[in-house]
Amino acid sequence: QVQLVESGGGLVQPGGSLRLSCAASVSIIGIYTMGWYRQAPGKQREMVAVITSGGSTNYADSVKGRFTISRSNAKSAVDLQMNNLKPADTDVYYCNVDMSRKIVWGQGTQVTVSS
């Protein structure tokens, strides 16, 4: 079955960059809509960026122009390039895949933006 594993999180100073990667256990990239979400303690999980099977993308207003979601077919992964990071971007980031009858989530990776 499909499993998602996130990587690339860590500690970065404001204005810095990180690249998150979500690797799929099977070849689902380009077949289903996939996305990146983030959640802070006590807050509702929110959409950061999504990419459809056709390659169309959507971003949260708070990250538009700074984050870029893309597919990496060679490594069966979907990446999130995060530039000009702000302290408000500090959260646990999760990737997911929407297979209509089943939604699979990764375990999450911590992103901390602090000076």
Side-chain angles (χ1 to χ4, degrees), residues 7-92:
S7 62
L11 174 64
V12 65
Q13 294 185 350
S17 299
L18 284 174
R19 188 176 184 87
L20 306 183
S21 182
C22 176
S25 59
V26 296
S27 299
I28 61 171
I29 308 301
I31 300 176
Y32 303 104
T33 295
M34 298 187 69
W36 282 96
Y37 295 72
R38 64 188 182 186
Q39 185 173 26
K43 301 292 184 179
Q44 187 175 17
R45 189 169 297 183
E46 64 175 353
M47 185 273 288
V48 176
V50 297
I51 184 166
T52 70
S53 61
S56 298
T57 59
N58 286 296
Y59 299 91
D61 289 341
S62 60
V63 307
K64 196 171 186 178
R66 299 188 297 120
F67 292 9
T68 303
I69 188 171
S70 62
R71 298 185 300 223
S72 182
N73 294 331
K75 60 180 181 179
S76 299
V78 59
D79 296 339
L80 183 69
Q81 178 66 45
M82 305 185 294
N83 297 326
N84 192 24
L85 284 161
K86 306 174 181 179
D89 295 320
T90 296
D91 272 315
V92 177

